[in-house]
Amino acid sequence: MTNPTGAGLRLAPPPRERRHTLYFLEAIRDFSPVFLDTEVDATRLLEDRARARAAGQRRSVVGYLLVAAGGVLARHPEANSAYRGGPRPRVAAFPTVSGKVTLDRTLGGTRVVLSTVVPEPHTAGLAEVQRRLDRVLDGDPAELPEFAGIRALHRLSWLRGRLRFARAARDLRLRPLITGTFAVTSLGHRPVDGFHSVGGTTVTLGVGRIVERPVVRDGAIVAAPVFRLSLAFDHRVIDGAEAADVLAEIRTALEEWPGPGDAGPDAEPDAQPATAPVAGPAVRSEAGA
């Protein structure tokens, strides 16, 4: 008797263009994630974005988050660290802050997750951060130098690519270049209120959509634009109290935008954006939310 369940079944290797994601998921299996989340009132952000749009400038929620989180992580060096396990465990405390952003792109005809690393976003300023995001969002991932390392990985055999990625992932000196010292991922372009992911860093931030919700202001219930902000942290590096402080300070920085040192819509530095380091893979998102 023929088994109908196998009719039309096609077995094939995973697309080469997704190999880096599979390597990445193997590399983070030893993480010990714990998840937190909060709601952020986006009123000040949307007002600032409207002013920027009127001036012909693009602003994304992810850009604001990179700048805000960069400043907070600079004040929390314990959270701006990374852990490597094994017989001789090590914790690397990074002297600089860099944020990895995940991108939903198409490469070789396959929808894939790519990422880029933005160094020192809190000192670069919002305008410069947005220019870097626009470059990788609008450019061709088959040509952009930011993704040359990923494309080279795809050309290797499965085993060689897997070993090369694993060696790089264990090298703490390369972490700021490959995964950044914190990660940001967004699904705010779809009807997703909140989600949690692990981006290969001690702190990973997740952004949901902005929607009108009831909030209490001066004792009255009013409608306000809010979004969910999640934080996943590696419990091997920091504990919940430290992670909660980080999340609370990021929320405050976003709700009180622009704070001291934050770049407003008219702050356009003269320097041209430098090429960002080649970034590693992460969880699917959209940096233009």
Side-chain angles (χ1 to χ4, degrees):
M1 183 174 180
T2 304
N3 183 358
T5 59
L9 177 65
R10 184 176 69 91
L11 296 178
R16 283 183 175 270
E17 292 80 8
R18 293 201 68 248
R19 285 184 177 182
H20 62 278
T21 299
L22 302 179
Y23 299 151
F24 169 77
L25 293 174
E26 286 187 352
I28 64 170
R29 284 180 178 174
D30 59 344
F31 270 56
S32 297
V34 179
F35 305 100
L36 311 175
D37 71 78
T38 188
E39 273 194 346
V40 177
D41 186 334
T43 300
R44 297 281 290 270
L45 296 185
L46 294 185
E47 291 173 349
D48 188 79
R49 188 157 72 169
R51 288 191 294 267
R53 185 179 294 114
Q57 301 164 13
R58 182 181 180 183
R59 294 291 182 264
S60 66
V61 173
V62 167
Y64 290 110
L65 183 53
L66 280 168
V67 174
V72 172
L73 268 294
R75 299 192 298 269
H76 288 266
E78 295 83 2
N80 194 55
S81 303
Y83 180 91
R84 183 183 68 202
R88 299 180 62 195
R90 291 289 184 270
V91 175
F94 300 115
T96 60
V97 180
S98 54
K100 182 187 72 174
V101 182
T102 59
L103 311 166
D104 179 16
R105 301 305 313 275
T106 298
L107 181 62
T110 301
R111 190 176 184 178
V112 299
V113 178
L114 298 175
S115 63
T116 190
V117 173
V118 180
E120 297 288 320
H122 55 301
T123 59
L126 182 57
E128 173 65 10
V129 168
Q130 191 63 52
R131 272 197 287 262
R132 290 177 180 268
L133 294 178
D134 290 344
R135 171 181 167 81
V136 293
L137 282 170
D138 299 336
D140 184 355
E143 301 292 339
L144 286 171
E146 286 87 347
F147 307 128
I150 293 297
R151 295 193 300 267
L153 200 63
H154 295 166
R155 290 192 292 268
L156 299 176
S157 68
W158 170 266
L159 182 58
R160 288 185 61 194
R162 181 183 180 190
L163 292 175
R164 179 170 295 185
F165 189 97
R167 285 196 299 268
R170 283 192 57 80
D171 191 338
L172 292 175
R173 297 169 298 178
L174 296 179
R175 293 283 183 91
L177 300 178
I178 298 176
T179 65
T181 62
F182 72 97
V184 173
T185 183
S186 169
L187 290 176
H189 65 304
R190 292 297 188 188
V192 175
D193 291 325
F195 71 107
H196 299 80
S197 66
V198 174
T201 51
T202 294
V203 168
T204 301
L205 300 163
V207 183
R209 63 175 176 167
I210 298 176
V211 294
E212 291 278 332
R213 297 191 188 280
V215 300
V216 178
R217 290 180 178 169
D218 300 324
I221 299 177
V222 299
V226 300
F227 64 89
R228 292 275 297 279
L229 176 64
S230 69
L231 184 151
F233 69 93
D234 190 345
H235 210 336
R236 301 173 303 173
V237 185
I238 59 175
D239 297 322
E242 179 80 10
D245 289 345
V246 169
L247 182 60
E249 290 181 30
I250 294 173
R251 173 185 174 178
T252 297
L254 293 171
E255 292 188 336
E256 297 181 359
W257 186 277
D262 293 330
D266 298 324
E268 293 288 343
D270 295 330
Q272 294 298 313
T275 299
V278 175
V283 184
R284 172 169 294 155
S285 71
E286 173 55 59

mmCIF file of all heavy atoms in Angstrom, residues 32-63:
data_model
loop_
_atom_site.group_PDB
_atom_site.id
_atom_site.type_symbol
_atom_site.label_atom_id
_atom_site.label_comp_id
_atom_site.label_asym_id
_atom_site.label_seq_id
_atom_site.Cartn_x
_atom_site.Cartn_y
_atom_site.Cartn_z
ATOM 1 N N SER A 32 22.581 31.668 28.146
ATOM 2 C CA SER A 32 21.595 31.447 29.210
ATOM 3 C C SER A 32 20.683 32.668 29.271
ATOM 4 O O SER A 32 20.827 33.537 30.138
ATOM 5 C CB SER A 32 22.296 31.229 30.547
ATOM 6 O OG SER A 32 23.101 30.071 30.512
ATOM 7 N N PRO A 33 19.720 32.768 28.341
ATOM 8 C CA PRO A 33 18.940 33.995 28.233
ATOM 9 C C PRO A 33 17.832 34.105 29.270
ATOM 10 O O PRO A 33 17.195 33.122 29.646
ATOM 11 C CB PRO A 33 18.350 33.902 26.824
ATOM 12 C CG PRO A 33 18.232 32.436 26.577
ATOM 13 C CD PRO A 33 19.390 31.800 27.289
ATOM 14 N N VAL A 34 17.618 35.331 29.731
ATOM 15 C CA VAL A 34 16.472 35.699 30.560
ATOM 16 C C VAL A 34 15.832 36.904 29.880
ATOM 17 O O VAL A 34 16.527 37.749 29.309
ATOM 18 C CB VAL A 34 16.900 36.042 31.996
ATOM 19 C CG1 VAL A 34 15.685 36.458 32.835
ATOM 20 C CG2 VAL A 34 17.605 34.852 32.645
ATOM 21 N N PHE A 35 14.497 37.000 29.949
ATOM 22 C CA PHE A 35 13.780 37.983 29.142
ATOM 23 C C PHE A 35 13.009 38.962 30.020
ATOM 24 O O PHE A 35 12.318 38.560 30.955
ATOM 25 C CB PHE A 35 12.822 37.276 28.183
ATOM 26 C CG PHE A 35 13.496 36.241 27.314
ATOM 27 C CD1 PHE A 35 13.420 34.892 27.622
ATOM 28 C CD2 PHE A 35 14.242 36.629 26.216
ATOM 29 C CE1 PHE A 35 14.046 33.944 26.830
ATOM 30 C CE2 PHE A 35 14.878 35.688 25.415
ATOM 31 C CZ PHE A 35 14.779 34.348 25.721
ATOM 32 N N LEU A 36 13.127 40.234 29.672
ATOM 33 C CA LEU A 36 12.392 41.310 30.315
ATOM 34 C C LEU A 36 11.673 42.110 29.228
ATOM 35 O O LEU A 36 12.060 42.076 28.065
ATOM 36 C CB LEU A 36 13.326 42.254 31.079
ATOM 37 C CG LEU A 36 14.358 41.649 32.036
ATOM 38 C CD1 LEU A 36 15.248 42.757 32.595
ATOM 39 C CD2 LEU A 36 13.682 40.891 33.159
ATOM 40 N N ASP A 37 10.643 42.854 29.614
ATOM 41 C CA ASP A 37 10.049 43.772 28.648
ATOM 42 C C ASP A 37 9.337 44.896 29.373
ATOM 43 O O ASP A 37 9.021 44.800 30.563
ATOM 44 C CB ASP A 37 9.107 43.045 27.683
ATOM 45 C CG ASP A 37 7.828 42.579 28.335
ATOM 46 O OD1 ASP A 37 6.928 43.412 28.537
ATOM 47 O OD2 ASP A 37 7.723 41.366 28.644
ATOM 48 N N THR A 38 9.103 45.984 28.632
ATOM 49 C CA THR A 38 8.405 47.145 29.160
ATOM 50 C C THR A 38 7.699 47.830 28.014
ATOM 51 O O THR A 38 7.850 47.437 26.853
ATOM 52 C CB THR A 38 9.389 48.113 29.847
ATOM 53 O OG1 THR A 38 8.663 49.145 30.520
ATOM 54 C CG2 THR A 38 10.329 48.743 28.831
ATOM 55 N N GLU A 39 6.899 48.860 28.323
ATOM 56 C CA GLU A 39 6.261 49.683 27.303
ATOM 57 C C GLU A 39 6.918 51.049 27.279
ATOM 58 O O GLU A 39 7.267 51.603 28.324
ATOM 59 C CB GLU A 39 4.763 49.836 27.566
ATOM 60 C CG GLU A 39 3.917 48.728 26.986
ATOM 61 C CD GLU A 39 2.444 49.084 26.963
ATOM 62 O OE1 GLU A 39 2.045 50.060 27.632
ATOM 63 O OE2 GLU A 39 1.689 48.365 26.285
ATOM 64 N N VAL A 40 7.078 51.583 26.082
ATOM 65 C CA VAL A 40 7.702 52.891 25.905
ATOM 66 C C VAL A 40 6.690 53.834 25.275
ATOM 67 O O VAL A 40 6.078 53.514 24.252
ATOM 68 C CB VAL A 40 8.957 52.798 25.014
ATOM 69 C CG1 VAL A 40 9.566 54.177 24.778
ATOM 70 C CG2 VAL A 40 9.987 51.863 25.638
ATOM 71 N N ASP A 41 6.514 55.006 25.877
ATOM 72 C CA ASP A 41 5.682 56.050 25.296
ATOM 73 C C ASP A 41 6.490 56.723 24.182
ATOM 74 O O ASP A 41 7.524 57.343 24.433
ATOM 75 C CB ASP A 41 5.298 57.061 26.381
ATOM 76 C CG ASP A 41 4.302 58.107 25.894
ATOM 77 O OD1 ASP A 41 4.269 58.389 24.677
ATOM 78 O OD2 ASP A 41 3.575 58.669 26.730
ATOM 79 N N ALA A 42 6.025 56.607 22.958
ATOM 80 C CA ALA A 42 6.784 57.099 21.802
ATOM 81 C C ALA A 42 6.394 58.510 21.382
ATOM 82 O O ALA A 42 6.772 58.955 20.286
ATOM 83 C CB ALA A 42 6.599 56.143 20.628
ATOM 84 N N THR A 43 5.698 59.244 22.226
ATOM 85 C CA THR A 43 5.217 60.570 21.842
ATOM 86 C C THR A 43 6.359 61.484 21.423
ATOM 87 O O THR A 43 6.315 62.115 20.350
ATOM 88 C CB THR A 43 4.442 61.215 23.003
ATOM 89 O OG1 THR A 43 3.315 60.405 23.341
ATOM 90 C CG2 THR A 43 3.972 62.614 22.626
ATOM 91 N N ARG A 44 7.412 61.551 22.241
ATOM 92 C CA ARG A 44 8.524 62.452 21.933
ATOM 93 C C ARG A 44 9.266 61.990 20.679
ATOM 94 O O ARG A 44 9.713 62.809 19.875
ATOM 95 C CB ARG A 44 9.472 62.528 23.119
ATOM 96 C CG ARG A 44 8.873 63.099 24.388
ATOM 97 C CD ARG A 44 8.788 64.613 24.364
ATOM 98 N NE ARG A 44 10.097 65.214 24.452
ATOM 99 C CZ ARG A 44 10.699 65.542 25.611
ATOM 100 N NH1 ARG A 44 10.080 65.291 26.764
ATOM 101 N NH2 ARG A 44 11.875 66.124 25.621
ATOM 102 N N LEU A 45 9.399 60.689 20.506
ATOM 103 C CA LEU A 45 10.084 60.178 19.315
ATOM 104 C C LEU A 45 9.327 60.532 18.041
ATOM 105 O O LEU A 45 9.923 60.946 17.043
ATOM 106 C CB LEU A 45 10.257 58.663 19.406
ATOM 107 C CG LEU A 45 11.135 58.109 20.523
ATOM 108 C CD1 LEU A 45 11.287 56.598 20.365
ATOM 109 C CD2 LEU A 45 12.501 58.772 20.543
ATOM 110 N N LEU A 46 8.002 60.362 18.073
ATOM 111 C CA LEU A 46 7.213 60.648 16.880
ATOM 112 C C LEU A 46 7.204 62.137 16.572
ATOM 113 O O LEU A 46 7.200 62.539 15.397
ATOM 114 C CB LEU A 46 5.794 60.122 17.060
ATOM 115 C CG LEU A 46 5.662 58.598 17.150
ATOM 116 C CD1 LEU A 46 4.200 58.189 17.206
ATOM 117 C CD2 LEU A 46 6.361 57.906 15.993
ATOM 118 N N GLU A 47 7.204 62.973 17.605
ATOM 119 C CA GLU A 47 7.288 64.413 17.377
ATOM 120 C C GLU A 47 8.617 64.770 16.725
ATOM 121 O O GLU A 47 8.664 65.572 15.771
ATOM 122 C CB GLU A 47 7.122 65.167 18.698
ATOM 123 C CG GLU A 47 5.723 65.083 19.281
ATOM 124 C CD GLU A 47 5.637 65.696 20.669
ATOM 125 O OE1 GLU A 47 6.706 65.993 21.268
ATOM 126 O OE2 GLU A 47 4.505 65.862 21.168
ATOM 127 N N ASP A 48 9.686 64.167 17.220
ATOM 128 C CA ASP A 48 11.005 64.432 16.647
ATOM 129 C C ASP A 48 11.098 63.909 15.218
ATOM 130 O O ASP A 48 11.660 64.561 14.335
ATOM 131 C CB ASP A 48 12.086 63.782 17.515
ATOM 132 C CG ASP A 48 13.485 64.165 17.096
ATOM 133 O OD1 ASP A 48 13.923 65.278 17.440
ATOM 134 O OD2 ASP A 48 14.148 63.362 16.406
ATOM 135 N N ARG A 49 10.513 62.745 14.974
ATOM 136 C CA ARG A 49 10.546 62.172 13.628
ATOM 137 C C ARG A 49 9.732 63.023 12.661
ATOM 138 O O ARG A 49 10.113 63.173 11.487
ATOM 139 C CB ARG A 49 10.028 60.733 13.655
ATOM 140 C CG ARG A 49 10.206 60.022 12.334
ATOM 141 C CD ARG A 49 10.237 58.529 12.480
ATOM 142 N NE ARG A 49 8.948 57.968 12.785
ATOM 143 C CZ ARG A 49 8.681 56.647 12.760
ATOM 144 N NH1 ARG A 49 9.640 55.790 12.450
ATOM 145 N NH2 ARG A 49 7.495 56.186 13.060
ATOM 146 N N ALA A 50 8.623 63.588 13.124
ATOM 147 C CA ALA A 50 7.826 64.456 12.264
ATOM 148 C C ALA A 50 8.606 65.713 11.896
ATOM 149 O O ALA A 50 8.553 66.180 10.742
ATOM 150 C CB ALA A 50 6.511 64.824 12.960
ATOM 151 N N ARG A 51 9.334 66.283 12.851
ATOM 152 C CA ARG A 51 10.153 67.463 12.549
ATOM 153 C C ARG A 51 11.235 67.112 11.542
ATOM 154 O O ARG A 51 11.534 67.879 10.617
ATOM 155 C CB ARG A 51 10.773 68.016 13.828
ATOM 156 C CG ARG A 51 9.791 68.696 14.763
ATOM 157 C CD ARG A 51 10.506 69.446 15.858
ATOM 158 N NE ARG A 51 11.223 68.539 16.759
ATOM 159 C CZ ARG A 51 10.710 68.045 17.869
ATOM 160 N NH1 ARG A 51 9.453 68.344 18.214
ATOM 161 N NH2 ARG A 51 11.418 67.248 18.648
ATOM 162 N N ALA A 52 11.835 65.932 11.719
ATOM 163 C CA ALA A 52 12.879 65.510 10.788
ATOM 164 C C ALA A 52 12.293 65.293 9.390
ATOM 165 O O ALA A 52 12.900 65.686 8.392
ATOM 166 C CB ALA A 52 13.539 64.229 11.298
ATOM 167 N N ARG A 53 11.123 64.674 9.306
ATOM 168 C CA ARG A 53 10.495 64.425 8.010
ATOM 169 C C ARG A 53 10.186 65.739 7.305
ATOM 170 O O ARG A 53 10.350 65.865 6.087
ATOM 171 C CB ARG A 53 9.236 63.588 8.193
ATOM 172 C CG ARG A 53 8.591 63.181 6.872
ATOM 173 C CD ARG A 53 7.349 62.338 7.086
ATOM 174 N NE ARG A 53 7.661 61.046 7.678
ATOM 175 C CZ ARG A 53 7.283 60.671 8.894
ATOM 176 N NH1 ARG A 53 6.574 61.495 9.650
ATOM 177 N NH2 ARG A 53 7.601 59.492 9.368
ATOM 178 N N ALA A 54 9.744 66.741 8.076
ATOM 179 C CA ALA A 54 9.457 68.051 7.484
ATOM 180 C C ALA A 54 10.725 68.693 6.931
ATOM 181 O O ALA A 54 10.666 69.491 5.986
ATOM 182 C CB ALA A 54 8.811 68.959 8.526
ATOM 183 N N ALA A 55 11.856 68.341 7.507
ATOM 184 C CA ALA A 55 13.135 68.861 7.034
ATOM 185 C C ALA A 55 13.760 67.962 5.979
ATOM 186 O O ALA A 55 14.913 68.175 5.585
ATOM 187 C CB ALA A 55 14.099 69.019 8.219
ATOM 188 N N GLY A 56 13.015 66.939 5.537
ATOM 189 C CA GLY A 56 13.511 66.039 4.501
ATOM 190 C C GLY A 56 14.477 64.996 4.994
ATOM 191 O O GLY A 56 15.271 64.462 4.214
ATOM 192 N N GLN A 57 14.416 64.665 6.291
ATOM 193 C CA GLN A 57 15.348 63.704 6.887
ATOM 194 C C GLN A 57 14.586 62.475 7.368
ATOM 195 O O GLN A 57 13.501 62.587 7.942
ATOM 196 C CB GLN A 57 16.102 64.340 8.059
ATOM 197 C CG GLN A 57 16.896 65.573 7.679
ATOM 198 C CD GLN A 57 17.295 66.391 8.876
ATOM 199 O OE1 GLN A 57 17.188 65.939 10.009
ATOM 200 N NE2 GLN A 57 17.755 67.609 8.638
ATOM 201 N N ARG A 58 15.169 61.317 7.128
ATOM 202 C CA ARG A 58 14.558 60.067 7.553
ATOM 203 C C ARG A 58 15.010 59.718 8.967
ATOM 204 O O ARG A 58 16.172 59.919 9.329
ATOM 205 C CB ARG A 58 14.963 58.942 6.598
ATOM 206 C CG ARG A 58 14.354 57.587 6.917
ATOM 207 C CD ARG A 58 14.840 56.550 5.922
ATOM 208 N NE ARG A 58 14.283 55.235 6.196
ATOM 209 C CZ ARG A 58 14.601 54.147 5.510
ATOM 210 N NH1 ARG A 58 15.461 54.226 4.513
ATOM 211 N NH2 ARG A 58 14.041 52.987 5.811
ATOM 212 N N ARG A 59 14.088 59.219 9.766
ATOM 213 C CA ARG A 59 14.412 58.752 11.115
ATOM 214 C C ARG A 59 13.672 57.439 11.361
ATOM 215 O O ARG A 59 12.487 57.327 11.056
ATOM 216 C CB ARG A 59 14.004 59.775 12.169
ATOM 217 C CG ARG A 59 14.787 61.083 12.126
ATOM 218 C CD ARG A 59 16.220 60.865 12.564
ATOM 219 N NE ARG A 59 16.962 62.119 12.581
ATOM 220 C CZ ARG A 59 17.723 62.533 11.588
ATOM 221 N NH1 ARG A 59 17.812 61.802 10.477
ATOM 222 N NH2 ARG A 59 18.388 63.665 11.687
ATOM 223 N N SER A 60 14.351 56.465 11.950
ATOM 224 C CA SER A 60 13.730 55.184 12.285
ATOM 225 C C SER A 60 13.783 54.976 13.783
ATOM 226 O O SER A 60 14.675 55.492 14.477
ATOM 227 C CB SER A 60 14.445 54.036 11.572
ATOM 228 O OG SER A 60 15.766 53.891 12.061
ATOM 229 N N VAL A 61 12.832 54.211 14.292
ATOM 230 C CA VAL A 61 12.826 53.890 15.716
ATOM 231 C C VAL A 61 14.112 53.166 16.096
ATOM 232 O O VAL A 61 14.670 53.378 17.177
ATOM 233 C CB VAL A 61 11.594 53.038 16.066
ATOM 234 C CG1 VAL A 61 11.658 52.555 17.511
ATOM 235 C CG2 VAL A 61 10.319 53.847 15.849
ATOM 236 N N VAL A 62 14.598 52.316 15.213
ATOM 237 C CA VAL A 62 15.839 51.591 15.488
ATOM 238 C C VAL A 62 17.008 52.558 15.650
ATOM 239 O O VAL A 62 17.884 52.361 16.496
ATOM 240 C CB VAL A 62 16.119 50.572 14.372
ATOM 241 C CG1 VAL A 62 17.537 50.027 14.463
ATOM 242 C CG2 VAL A 62 15.127 49.427 14.459
ATOM 243 N N GLY A 63 17.045 53.622 14.844
ATOM 244 C CA GLY A 63 18.108 54.609 14.994
ATOM 245 C C GLY A 63 18.077 55.268 16.355
ATOM 246 O O GLY A 63 19.115 55.410 17.026
#
